[in-house]
Amino acid sequence: MATKGNSGDNRSRGSMSIFIIVGLCGFFYILGAWQRSGFGKGDSIALEVTKQTDCSVLSNLNYEIHHGGDAGTLDDSETEVKEFMPCEDHYTDYTPCHEQMRAMTFPRENMDYRERHCPSEEEKLHCLIPAPKGYSTPFLWPKSRDYVPYANAPYKSLTVEKAVQNWIQYEGNVFRFPGGGTQFPHGADAYIDELASIIPMDNGMVRTALDTGCGVASFGAYLFKKNVLAMSFAPRDSHEAQVQFALERGVPAVIGVLGTIKLPFPSRSFDMAHCSRCLIPWGANDGMYMMEVDRVLRPGGYWVLSGPPINWKTNYEAWQRPREELEEEQRKIEEIAKLLCWEKKHEKGETAIWRKRTSYDECREQDPVPTICESTNADDVWYKRMEACVTPYPESSDPDQWKPFPERLNAVPPRVSSGSIPGVSVEAYEEDNRSWKKHVNAYKRINRILDSGRYRNIMDMNAGLGSFAAALESPKSWVMNVMPTIAEKDTLGVIYERGLIGIYHDWCEAFSTYPRTYDLIHSNGVFSLYKDKCSAEDILLEMDRILRPEGAVIFRDQVDVLMKVMRLARGMRWDTKIVDHEDGPLISEKVLFAVKQYWVAGGNNSTSSE
């Protein structure tokens, strides 16, 4: 009996110990988070406690790999870890393909100098981009929509330049975004409600939007209330950090411009395109920019133009521009819209709305007849020059194919049902959906905070049919679905037909974003795909650049590839652990989880155990 009593006591003590450890772990995690939240910096006790407490999302992962005997081990010749050093502090906001000094060497005509101009191999940095001193994890959505820690993007120029337009305000140690804009002085909500009286935003038929010249992306930020997902873009120009502010707020955005190169999106992508005083010369170059908008608008999609020259008769004095100039500008826009066979649905105040026809049948009798683009592939856009021609409608553009969101998320997309993508059948699409639901469920069992809201900005580097993003679909997060330009099948159009957003990109180059703009990156087969194309080291350094401190990465690839990736990642201040495929240890595909350590410019301030 005594033995039983002792055993029970031991179990009680063990349970109590576990309870105490879990409680302390949670307490110290909160304390450490507070210490870096912008309100507790300088608390050295909290910092030291956090360093000594292993409460990371990786702490309970199975670190052993079982495949083919010793496939999960490294021999002595492979165990040496290359240590990557921090770049100099002035690189904190380095954007390799939009670097200011390089940009100024290119022509100003048609905004060429604001487009992508990437460094040569000799110019590439092989160091880690530091976070600025005082950097803190962004606020969770929806608070992040309205507040950004000042230390994360310490640029006040917009608070002065746009002070009367209610874009952004500086308050203590945060920026506040009141939701105003040049064209919506009464707030983005009121402006969007006005548009929604014409455009069907409330029934799910308008799901994806393109915001050209987005500023700090308040339009996209408030569209989330309508369950509309906007892809916003603006150049890296004299208004510092527009796109950086957008992403800090938790709003999808990329650095980009309508210039000489086609937009990195497939044809028939967006349900709506929007320009609010975006300063794009829509009537220039024979209407080339409006024709590019037409290319990316789906049949039946809407184009919103808000600001000059709309209603120029009333506003030319306030705009301080000659009547004749504004009149000619609007005349050209109306002329090009007619050539594109767009129907004008609304004009009130400074806002005009056109709708693209649902099929070409409505346009056959128009005069004049537009020049039709000769290219047989309207989705072949990477570094391809924009043309003053009209993209033909697809052979089948039945408007009834478009489902409201969220029904369209898992419905069979028209490009799949029509058989327009070789090798992607309805059955293959449905199986892909099932597989990724299983994969994501397995991810959630390992990274327990995956759907907690901690990861707002998510990137899928090799998105396929978008099923990873579909399985994660939540108002707490959004996914940038990237279609590698070297992928065997171009399925980005399918992703848009599902009501998701994405972009073309070549991972041998830097992505068009600021550093520290993604909370979670998913890499499925990326390193196998680029094995003979470019350096794994360069791809990992770019991932590190765009990943937030304490952000996470999920790699899915062959075990031999992942072991090499893991060795490089350890030299980049990432904590890594590798696990078996969810279907068992005999499958050669494995999953590598990583978390980027917290450190900032001026020294190694990692909060992870060494």
Side-chain angles (χ1 to χ4, degrees):
M1 294 294 291
T3 304
K4 288 182 179 179
N6 290 340
S7 176
D9 291 342
N10 289 339
R11 281 197 299 271
S12 296
R13 290 191 194 101
S15 300
M16 182 61 70
S17 298
I18 291 170
F19 178 81
I20 291 169
I21 290 168
V22 170
L24 287 172
C25 191
F27 170 76
F28 289 136
Y29 175 83
I30 293 167
L31 188 62
W34 172 81
Q35 186 269 328
R36 286 196 303 281
S37 66
F39 301 99
K41 290 185 179 65
D43 187 337
S44 58
I45 297 175
L47 179 60
E48 287 305 312
V49 166
T50 307
K51 280 184 178 181
Q52 295 169 26
T53 308
D54 183 13
C55 303
S56 80
V57 296
L58 299 180
S59 59
N60 294 318
L61 296 190
N62 171 20
Y63 190 60
E64 297 180 9
I65 294 300
H66 310 90
H67 181 79
D70 58 356
T73 62
L74 294 172
D75 60 38
D76 291 341
S77 64
E78 295 180 310
T79 54
E80 184 179 346
V81 173
K82 175 181 177 180
E83 183 179 1
F84 294 91
M85 302 305 294
C87 303
E88 295 178 24
D89 290 358
H90 63 84
Y91 284 108
T92 53
D93 291 325
Y94 182 55
T95 53
C97 296
H98 302 273
E99 196 269 325
Q100 188 75 356
M101 295 301 292
R102 186 183 303 106
M104 300 307 292
T105 65
F106 288 87
R108 299 292 186 95
E109 186 180 4
N110 292 331
M111 297 292 282
D112 185 329
Y113 75 118
R114 291 297 181 200
E115 294 185 304
R116 286 178 59 85
H117 299 292
C118 299
S120 65
E121 285 297 320
E122 295 73 28
E123 295 176 289
K124 285 183 178 179
L125 298 180
H126 292 278
C127 51
L128 304 175
I129 302 298
K133 291 181 180 179
Y135 177 87
S136 58
T137 302
F139 301 110
L140 296 183
W141 183 268
K143 185 177 180 180
S144 67
R145 186 194 69 181
D146 302 328
Y147 296 95
V148 166
Y150 169 74
N152 292 12
Y155 306 110
K156 296 182 183 178
S157 61
L158 277 177
T159 65
V160 178
E161 245 179 278
K162 303 295 181 181
V164 298
Q165 295 167 12
N166 224 21
W167 277 27
I168 179 174
Q169 297 169 358
Y170 176 63
E171 298 180 355
N173 61 350
V174 299
F175 288 111
R176 186 169 77 88
F177 297 84
T182 310
Q183 288 304 127
F184 30 97
H186 302 296
D189 273 338
Y191 174 75
I192 289 169
D193 285 341
E194 181 185 337
L195 298 183
S197 67
I198 309 298
I199 300 171
M201 295 186 197
D202 295 310
N203 64 3
M205 292 307 294
V206 169
R207 162 65 177 174
T208 56
L210 180 68
D211 191 14
T212 56
C214 65
V216 295
S218 287
F219 180 69
Y222 281 80
L223 277 176
F224 277 108
K225 284 188 177 181
K226 300 284 189 185
N227 209 12
V228 175
L229 192 54
M231 172 74 80
S232 301
F233 72 86
R236 178 162 191 167
D237 60 5
S238 57
H239 300 324
E240 282 187 305
Q242 290 181 103
V243 167
Q244 190 174 23
F245 278 132
L247 286 153
E248 283 291 324
R249 298 175 72 184
V251 182
V254 291
I255 302 172
V257 67
L258 266 171
T260 68
I261 303 300
K262 292 181 179 181
L263 294 173
F265 313 116
S267 60
R268 312 187 307 278
S269 306
F270 296 96
D271 301 321
M272 175 174 68
H274 174 261
C275 161
S276 172
R277 201 177 284 208
C278 60
L279 306 180
I280 294 171
W282 293 112
N285 300 317
D286 300 316
M288 184 169 70
Y289 300 136
M290 289 177 67
M291 291 174 183
E292 180 64 358
V293 168
D294 181 77
R295 182 185 71 80
V296 300
L297 267 185
R298 71 166 174 86
Y302 295 84
W303 185 54
V304 180
L305 178 58
S306 181
I310 304 303
N311 199 9
W312 59 269
K313 292 178 182 178
T314 303
N315 296 301
Y316 76 93
E317 289 182 341
W319 292 336
Q320 298 181 339
R321 289 181 59 189
R323 288 173 56 111
E324 299 75 19
E325 180 182 294
L326 288 162
E327 181 180 16
E328 176 63 11
E329 194 174 311
Q330 179 149 2
R331 185 193 67 78
K332 283 185 176 181
I333 289 171
E334 300 280 4
E335 186 179 272
I336 296 158
K338 183 179 178 181
L339 186 68
L340 292 168
C341 200
W342 291 356
E343 178 187 6
K344 194 168 192 180
K345 302 292 289 184
H346 172 83
E347 181 174 328
K348 182 180 178 182
E350 297 175 20
T351 300
I353 301 173
W354 286 263
R355 190 184 187 203
K356 182 176 176 176
R357 304 287 183 175
T358 55
S359 77
Y360 188 67
D361 292 339
E362 303 173 66
C363 311
R364 294 187 187 281
E365 304 302 322
Q366 74 177 50
D367 183 36
V369 177
T371 301
I372 303 299
C373 298
E374 295 179 0
S375 172
T376 57
N377 184 2
D379 298 347
D380 182 17
V381 297
W382 188 247
Y383 285 125
K384 296 295 171 39
R385 295 191 71 81
M386 211 180 296
E387 303 172 277
C389 60
V390 178
T391 302
Y393 282 71
E395 292 182 9
S396 174
S397 57
D398 180 1
D400 293 334
Q401 289 181 312
W402 288 90
K403 307 293 184 185
F405 193 86
E407 183 183 343
R408 76 168 80 163
L409 183 64
N410 291 304
V412 178
R415 297 187 201 216
V416 173
S417 59
S418 66
S420 61
I421 303 176
V424 181
S425 63
V426 172
E427 294 74 21
Y429 167 78
E430 292 174 341
E431 175 57 31
D432 191 70
N433 261 351
R434 287 191 292 269
S435 294
W436 279 105
K437 284 177 183 176
K438 183 176 71 173
H439 294 333
V440 168
N441 284 335
Y443 294 164
K444 289 178 180 178
R445 287 195 296 271
I446 296 167
N447 185 336
R448 300 287 178 90
I449 63 172
L450 191 57
D451 58 358
S452 67
R454 168 63 178 80
Y455 305 127
R456 170 70 180 171
N457 303 355
I458 299 174
M459 174 181 283
D460 191 358
M461 295 176 69
N462 185 16
L465 295 169
S467 298
F468 167 78
L472 272 181
E473 172 60 25
S474 164
K476 298 176 184 177
S477 63
W478 58 269
V479 180
M480 180 68 77
N481 293 280
V482 180
M483 179 57 52
T485 55
I486 65 169
E488 182 183 349
K489 296 182 179 72
D490 176 5
T491 51
L492 190 54
V494 169
I495 289 169
Y496 274 94
E497 288 178 343
R498 301 185 71 169
L500 304 168
I501 58 170
I503 193 169
Y504 291 110
H505 183 65
D506 180 358
W507 285 112
C508 291
E509 299 179 358
F511 195 74
S512 290
T513 191
Y514 284 82
R516 303 172 301 282
T517 44
Y518 285 88
D519 303 296
L520 173 70
I521 299 176
H522 182 246
S523 168
N524 174 41
V526 171
F527 290 87
S528 288
L529 180 65
Y530 280 91
K531 191 173 183 179
D532 300 318
K533 302 296 181 183
C534 50
S535 162
E537 179 178 309
D538 286 346
I539 296 175
L540 279 164
L541 285 169
E542 175 60 6
M543 293 171 71
D544 182 82
R545 184 184 75 88
I546 67 178
L547 185 66
R548 297 194 196 282
E550 297 185 328
V553 184
I554 303 173
F555 299 89
R556 192 177 199 94
D557 218 314
Q558 295 300 304
V559 63
D560 57 330
V561 174
L562 289 186
M563 299 309 285
K564 293 174 183 176
V565 167
M566 184 167 66
R567 192 168 67 254
L568 287 168
R570 286 176 176 172
M572 295 166 51
R573 307 186 186 199
W574 290 11
D575 297 321
T576 61
K577 291 192 178 181
I578 193 167
V579 300
D580 286 322
H581 189 284
E582 59 267 18
D583 287 341
L586 299 182
I587 296 176
S588 60
E589 183 179 79
K590 306 295 178 185
V591 183
L592 173 64
F593 290 81
V595 173
K596 178 178 175 178
Q597 295 177 12
Y598 178 92
W599 62 277
V600 298
N604 180 358
N605 296 325
S606 170
T607 61
S608 299
S609 300
E610 295 295 325

